[in-house]
């Protein structure tokens, strides 16, 4: 969906270049050059864009719910680890980039959803995603948010990244998290409290073509992901007027549960052992969050998270 929107914006840019409006394209390129670092410096959110009526219908379509389990004091900065990636990442977008749901439940906190830097190179499209509250997932960008004096900032990172989208099959509980430790190091460097977030229903929105590890399709997808920086899951769902085939996600409820914060003491130069210990604690709290709430959202008792 991001790819489709980005392609439309790039197509519009090419029309400006090839048409009689090339001077507008030149002016925009100048703006792009001068504004290049903004996605790494907190972005440029717009309350007007985040409050569009269409987002209300977007959240109600599934519907999307945000569940609070603990207070998050605005006196601190937080790093929220979002799981799983799914295909659409609808829970992350719907809860942190639209409306005032997050700010209502957690007053005093400003959410920043970090996405791949490649999207901010797309003409015009970058302006839209920044206005929705999205910023770059680069180290510089995360540091900018988490170094805010006085607290009140929350970085949301989809920990599994593009690689995890290839596991986004209905019923899948596999998370790519064992080797993902950069976010732990960032939390330690800035003293940002860690908060595990699990979005129940995220993997139920689409059916993906079978791509078990070791299969030819999976090898091709993983190779393309390394080359391009983002994965290409082959998926389908429903159509506009029928439920048998299409690219519109199924109407499956999404419940994004925000866990309790893990206090983190600032350490500008953490050791490998300190990173490993905090990472282990984070995984423990993530698993605990899942086990405490899975029965509320239709997950059988015998099913548990699988960390890879």
């Amino acid at each position: 969906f991001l790819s489709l929107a980005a392609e439309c914006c790039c197509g519009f840019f090419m029309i400006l270049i090839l048409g009689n409006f090339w001077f507008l394209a030149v002016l925009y390129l100048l703006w792009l050059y001068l504004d290049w670092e903004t996605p790494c410096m907190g972005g440029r959110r717009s309350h007007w864009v985040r409050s569009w009526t269409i987002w209300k219908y977007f959240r109600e379509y599934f519907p999307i719910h945000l569940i609070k389990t603990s207070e998050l004091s605005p006196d601190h900065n937080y790093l929220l680890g979002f799981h799983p990636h799914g295909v659409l990442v609808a829970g992350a977008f719907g809860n942190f980039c639209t409306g005032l749901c997050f700010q209502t439940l957690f007053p005093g906190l400003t959410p920043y959803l970090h996405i791949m830097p490649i999207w901010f190179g797309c003409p015009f499209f970058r302006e839209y995603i920044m206005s929705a509250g999205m910023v770059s997932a680069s180290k510089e960008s995360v540091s900018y948010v988490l170094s805010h004096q006085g607290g009140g900032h929350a970085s949301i990172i989809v920990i599994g990244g593009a690689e995890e989208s290839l596991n986004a099959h209905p019923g899948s509980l596999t998370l790519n998290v064992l080797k993902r430790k950069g976010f732990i190091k960032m939390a330690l460097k800035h003293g940002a409290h860690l908060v595990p977030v699990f979005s129940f229903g995220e993997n139920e929105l689409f059916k993906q073509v079978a791509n078990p590890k070791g299969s030819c399709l999976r090898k091709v997808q993983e190779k393309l992901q390394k080359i391009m920086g983002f994965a290409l899951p082959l998926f389908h769902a429903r159509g506009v007027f029928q439920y048998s085939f299409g690219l519109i996600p199924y109407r499956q409820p999404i419940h994004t549960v925000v866990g309790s914060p893990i206090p983190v003491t600032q350490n500008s130069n953490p050791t490998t052992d300190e990173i490993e210990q905090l990472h282990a604690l984070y995984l423990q709290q993530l698993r605990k969050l899942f086990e405490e709430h899975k029965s509320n959202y239709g997950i059988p008792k015998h099913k548990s998270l699988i960390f890879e």
Side-chain angles (χ1 to χ4, degrees):
F1 290 92
L2 280 178
S3 300
L4 180 61
E7 288 174 5
C8 291
C9 290
C10 289
F12 178 69
F13 184 70
M14 291 302 298
I15 292 174
L16 291 181
I17 293 177
L18 299 176
N20 294 325
F21 303 98
W22 59 266
F23 62 94
L24 293 178
V26 172
L27 288 175
Y28 183 79
L29 286 175
L30 176 60
W31 163 256
L32 193 63
Y33 173 77
L34 296 174
D35 194 57
W36 190 255
E37 296 299 324
T38 300
C40 294
M41 301 178 67
R44 186 169 47 248
R45 69 181 54 226
S46 166
H47 176 71
W48 175 66
V49 172
R50 289 168 60 88
S51 300
W52 282 350
T53 303
I54 191 174
W55 303 135
K56 174 179 178 291
Y57 295 114
F58 173 80
R59 292 193 301 272
E60 291 178 350
Y61 171 80
F62 298 97
I64 296 175
H65 305 279
L66 185 65
I67 292 87
K68 173 182 178 180
T69 64
S70 180
E71 295 291 340
L72 297 182
S73 170
D75 295 334
H76 303 288
N77 291 323
Y78 298 89
L79 195 159
L80 279 63
F82 184 92
H83 311 267
H85 184 286
V87 172
L88 183 60
V89 204
F93 177 78
N95 286 311
F96 306 120
C97 296
T98 68
L100 297 173
C101 183
F102 182 82
Q103 287 93 331
T104 300
L105 289 179
F106 303 100
L109 286 183
T110 302
Y112 297 82
L113 180 60
H114 296 269
I115 64 175
M116 290 185 297
I118 187 174
W119 298 118
F120 296 97
C122 300
F124 301 114
F125 181 67
R126 69 188 296 274
E127 317 305 333
Y128 158 67
I129 55 179
M130 278 197 291
S131 66
M134 291 180 244
V135 292
S136 172
S138 66
K139 292 181 180 179
E140 296 79 10
S141 177
V142 178
S143 292
Y144 182 90
V145 174
L146 297 182
S147 61
H148 185 268
Q149 297 297 317
H153 282 40
S155 283
I156 298 97
I157 301 177
V158 184
I159 304 300
E163 182 182 357
E164 193 173 87
S165 67
L166 299 179
N167 291 327
H169 297 272
S172 174
L173 296 173
T174 301
L175 304 180
N176 293 68
V177 68
L178 289 181
K179 296 180 181 179
R180 310 270 176 159
K181 300 174 183 175
F183 73 104
I184 298 292
K185 188 174 182 179
M186 294 299 292
L188 281 166
K189 280 190 171 185
H190 297 283
H193 294 356
L194 281 167
V195 182
V197 178
F198 194 87
S199 194
F200 292 90
E202 199 75 45
N203 284 339
E204 320 304 317
L205 306 184
F206 298 92
K207 291 180 180 178
Q208 190 173 168
V209 175
N211 60 341
K213 289 195 173 182
S215 65
C216 291
L217 175 58
R218 186 61 169 254
K219 289 178 181 178
V220 171
Q221 289 175 319
E222 290 174 343
K223 188 170 184 179
L224 289 174
Q225 190 263 324
K226 290 180 180 179
I227 295 173
M228 300 184 297
F230 56 90
L232 293 173
L234 298 179
F235 59 89
H236 67 88
R238 54 161 291 186
V240 178
F241 300 110
Q242 44 77 29
Y243 286 81
S244 57
F245 190 82
L247 295 179
I248 298 176
Y250 293 115
R251 296 192 70 176
Q252 296 289 340
I254 298 172
H255 295 87
T256 303
V257 184
V258 180
S260 300
I262 302 171
V264 177
T265 302
Q266 186 172 8
N267 183 349
S268 58
N269 191 26
T271 64
T272 301
D273 286 343
E274 290 170 331
I275 294 174
E276 292 287 349
Q277 289 175 10
L278 184 55
H279 185 258
L281 177 59
Y282 177 84
L283 295 184
Q284 178 185 331
Q285 292 300 105
L286 174 59
R287 187 180 295 278
K288 179 182 177 183
L289 177 70
F290 174 80
E291 293 295 331
E292 288 179 347
H293 295 273
K294 68 180 184 180
S295 61
N296 297 331
Y297 308 114
I299 307 294
K301 289 185 178 180
H302 67 277
K303 285 200 169 188
S304 298
L305 293 179
I306 300 172
F307 296 148
E308 289 187 347

